Coordinates of all heavy atoms in Angstrom, one line a residue:
W1 N -201.0 -166.8 -32.6 CA -201.2 -168.1 -33.0 C -202.5 -168.6 -32.3 O -202.7 -168.4 -31.1 CB -200.0 -169.0 -32.6 CG -198.7 -168.5 -33.1 CD1 -198.4 -168.3 -34.4 CD2 -197.5 -168.2 -32.4 NE1 -197.1 -167.9 -34.6 CE2 -196.6 -167.8 -33.3 CE3 -197.2 -168.2 -31.1 CZ2 -195.3 -167.4 -33.0 CZ3 -195.9 -167.8 -30.7 CH2 -195.0 -167.4 -31.6
Y2 N -203.3 -169.4 -33.1 CA -204.5 -169.9 -32.5 C -204.6 -171.4 -32.9 O -205.1 -171.7 -34.0 CB -205.7 -169.1 -33.0 CG -207.0 -169.6 -32.4 CD1 -207.3 -169.3 -31.0 CD2 -207.9 -170.3 -33.1 CE1 -208.4 -169.8 -30.5 CE2 -209.1 -170.8 -32.5 CZ -209.3 -170.5 -31.2 OH -210.5 -170.9 -30.6
N3 N -204.2 -172.3 -32.1 CA -204.2 -173.7 -32.3 C -203.7 -174.0 -33.7 O -204.4 -174.7 -34.5 CB -205.6 -174.2 -32.1 CG -205.6 -175.8 -31.9 OD1 -204.6 -176.3 -31.4 ND2 -206.6 -176.4 -32.4
E4 N -202.5 -173.6 -34.0 CA -201.9 -173.8 -35.3 C -200.5 -174.2 -35.2 O -199.8 -174.0 -34.2 CB -202.0 -172.5 -36.2 CG -201.3 -171.3 -35.6 CD -201.5 -170.0 -36.3 OE1 -200.8 -169.8 -37.3 OE2 -202.4 -169.3 -35.9
P5 N -200.0 -174.9 -36.3 CA -198.6 -175.3 -36.3 C -197.7 -174.1 -36.4 O -198.0 -173.2 -37.2 CB -198.5 -176.2 -37.5 CG -199.6 -176.0 -38.3 CD -200.7 -175.4 -37.4
V6 N -196.6 -174.0 -35.7 CA -195.7 -172.9 -35.8 C -194.3 -173.5 -36.0 O -193.9 -174.5 -35.5 CB -195.7 -172.1 -34.5 CG1 -194.7 -170.9 -34.5 CG2 -197.1 -171.6 -34.2
I12 N -195.4 -163.7 -34.8 CA -196.8 -163.4 -34.8 C -197.0 -162.0 -35.2 O -196.2 -161.1 -35.0 CB -197.4 -163.7 -33.4 CG1 -198.9 -163.8 -33.4 CG2 -196.9 -162.7 -32.4 CD1 -199.5 -164.3 -32.1
A33 N -198.8 -169.2 -23.5 CA -198.7 -170.1 -24.7 C -199.0 -171.5 -24.2 O -198.5 -172.0 -23.2 CB -197.3 -170.1 -25.2
S34 N -199.9 -172.1 -25.0 CA -200.3 -173.5 -24.7 C -200.1 -174.3 -25.9 O -200.2 -173.8 -27.1 CB -201.8 -173.6 -24.2 OG -202.6 -173.1 -25.2
F35 N -199.8 -175.6 -25.7 CA -199.4 -176.5 -26.8 C -200.3 -177.7 -26.8 O -200.7 -178.2 -25.7 CB -198.0 -176.9 -26.6 CG -197.1 -175.7 -26.5 CD1 -196.6 -175.3 -25.3 CD2 -196.6 -175.1 -27.7 CE1 -195.8 -174.2 -25.2 CE2 -195.8 -174.0 -27.5 CZ -195.4 -173.5 -26.3
S36 N -200.6 -178.3 -28.0 CA -201.5 -179.5 -28.1 C -200.8 -180.7 -27.6 O -201.5 -181.8 -27.5 CB -202.0 -179.6 -29.5 OG -200.9 -179.8 -30.4
G37 N -199.5 -180.7 -27.4 CA -198.7 -181.9 -27.0 C -197.4 -181.4 -26.5 O -197.2 -180.2 -26.3
V100 N -196.3 -179.6 -32.9 CA -197.6 -179.6 -32.2 C -198.2 -178.2 -32.4 O -197.5 -177.3 -32.8 CB -197.4 -179.8 -30.7 CG1 -196.9 -181.2 -30.4 CG2 -196.5 -178.7 -30.0
N101 N -199.5 -178.1 -32.2 CA -200.2 -176.8 -32.4 C -199.9 -175.9 -31.2 O -199.8 -176.4 -30.1 CB -201.7 -177.0 -32.7 CG -201.9 -177.6 -34.0 OD1 -201.0 -177.7 -34.9 ND2 -203.2 -178.0 -34.3
T102 N -199.9 -174.6 -31.5 CA -199.6 -173.6 -30.5 C -200.7 -172.6 -30.5 O -201.2 -172.1 -31.5 CB -198.3 -172.9 -30.8 OG1 -197.3 -173.8 -30.9 CG2 -198.0 -171.9 -29.7
T103 N -201.1 -172.2 -29.3 CA -202.1 -171.0 -29.1 C -201.4 -170.1 -28.1 O -200.8 -170.4 -27.1 CB -203.4 -171.5 -28.4 OG1 -204.0 -172.5 -29.3 CG2 -204.3 -170.4 -28.2
A104 N -201.4 -168.8 -28.5 CA -200.8 -167.7 -27.6 C -201.9 -166.7 -27.4 O -202.6 -166.3 -28.3 CB -199.6 -167.1 -28.3
Q105 N -201.9 -166.3 -26.1 CA -202.9 -165.3 -25.7 C -202.3 -164.2 -24.9 O -201.6 -164.5 -23.9 CB -204.0 -166.0 -24.9 CG -205.1 -165.1 -24.4 CD -206.2 -165.8 -23.6 OE1 -206.1 -167.0 -23.5 NE2 -207.2 -165.1 -23.2

Side-chain angles (χ1 to χ4, degrees):
W1 303 305
Y2 184 72
N3 195 32
E4 60 187 275
V6 181
I12 194 171
S34 59
F35 307 97
S36 62
V100 296
N101 288 350
T102 304
T103 299
Q105 178 180 0

